[in-house]
Amino acid sequence: MNYFDNEKGWIECICGPMFSGKTEELLKRIKRMEYSKKKYMVFKPKIDSRYSINEIVSHNQKKVPAITISHGSDIKRHLKSDTQAIVIDEVQFCDKSLVKYLKELADCGYRVIVAGLDRDFRGEPFGVTGDVMAVSDIVTKLTAVCACCGRDATLTQRIIDGVPAYYDDPQVVIGDEDKYEPRCRNCHIVLKDE
Ligand code: ADP
Ligand code: MG
Ligand code: ZN
């Protein structure tokens, strides 16, 4: 791993519900790194195959190539000698060991930028994201626009053929506009079995 002038790096976390602009924000930060000639590498966990397995793609179809990883330790193996920043999208699908690796990378001088869902369709903490937020130096929590009432949406509603999901449904159901919409706390519904 690289050490840049003995200066440590830091961890930035971008979170929020689906459609809140997390991937767009990542792409914006990537563009700024391009302008400042910083060398970065982009990663995504294996599970997210919504649009493409080797790109991260925003809902308005902006994209950038990404390396698919199945474990946090894969990041180190892929790093090039001149890499200065590490970008990861859909971090909620990474395994819990990721936190350890992110801390290590920041301590070694890398800028680490991570985005992911903070909460699942139930409104509960999603995978490793909460732990990543805790170890991050800067956390940006984004909102979308509630698909029902237009308030700021902080939650993701799973709704399939007009029916809201049940609490006991699986946490991970890969989908997009067909299954999910952003909602505010007032409009968010989780059905419970009797
Ligand atoms: P995320 O990565 O958080 O899911 P993206 O960056 O992929 O979000 O997409 C954000 C884009 O989604 C917005 O710029 C907008 O074009 C689109 N969008 C669609 N529906 C909504 C909504 N209800 N609220 C906000 N943005 C929305
Ligand atoms: Mg996204
Ligand atoms: Zn609402």
Side-chain angles (χ1 to χ4, degrees):
M1 295 243 266
N2 270 337
Y3 288 84
F4 299 109
D5 306 325
N6 289 326
E7 281 243 353
K8 293 200 174 186
W10 63 89
I11 308 172
E12 300 165 35
C13 177
I14 304 159
C15 60
M18 282 179 75
F19 307 97
S20 63
K22 300 181 298 297
T23 302
E24 268 179 21
E25 181 59 31
L26 275 186
L27 296 173
K28 180 181 152 198
R29 293 183 195 188
I30 287 171
K31 185 164 250 177
R32 293 176 71 97
M33 287 194 283
E34 300 255 356
Y35 283 123
S36 61
K37 310 253 184 309
K38 292 275 187 283
K39 301 283 185 193
Y40 60 86
M41 293 190 75
V42 184
F43 299 93
K44 60 185 277 188
K46 207 169 193 169
I47 189 163
D48 177 45
S49 57
R50 266 182 308 176
Y51 308 99
S52 164
I53 52 166
N54 49 14
E55 287 168 330
I56 60 171
V57 186
S58 71
H59 287 103
N60 50 9
Q61 302 308 312
K62 293 184 196 146
K63 52 184 139 182
V64 69
I67 296 166
T68 303
I69 52 166
S70 28
H71 192 262
S73 61
D74 293 345
I75 297 171
K76 275 198 275 185
R77 284 196 297 107
H78 285 287
L79 287 185
K80 296 181 184 147
S81 58
D82 61 351
T83 304
Q84 293 165 294
I86 290 136
V87 178
I88 312 169
D89 200 6
E90 304 289 357
V91 74
Q92 73 277 359
F93 295 135
C94 291
D95 68 288
K96 290 265 181 181
S97 75
L98 184 77
V99 172
K100 180 179 87 183
Y101 294 110
L102 297 187
K103 283 168 67 184
E104 231 175 86
L105 290 164
D107 283 341
C108 288
Y110 294 96
R111 175 184 179 188
V112 180
I113 316 172
V114 169
L117 291 166
D118 49 347
R119 289 187 273 180
D120 63 12
F121 77 98
R122 303 180 189 108
E124 293 182 348
F126 203 153
V128 73
T129 309
D131 292 355
V132 171
M133 288 165 75
V135 299
S136 289
D137 301 285
I138 308 159
V139 176
T140 307
K141 195 153 171 165
L142 301 174
T143 56
V145 178
C146 176
C148 297
C149 75
R151 289 188 183 93
D152 280 353
T154 56
L155 292 154
T156 303
Q157 177 71 49
R158 185 186 292 160
I159 182 161
I160 302 175
D161 297 329
V163 184
Y166 279 84
Y167 186 89
D168 290 329
D169 288 346
Q171 187 184 44
V172 178
V173 172
I174 300 292
D176 211 22
E177 286 100 334
D178 55 330
K179 298 191 180 76
Y180 294 97
E181 60 186 34
R183 290 200 185 176
C184 71
R185 199 181 276 277
N186 288 295
C187 301
H188 187 254
I189 299 166
V190 185
L191 298 178
K192 294 236 162 85
D193 283 321
E194 289 307 311

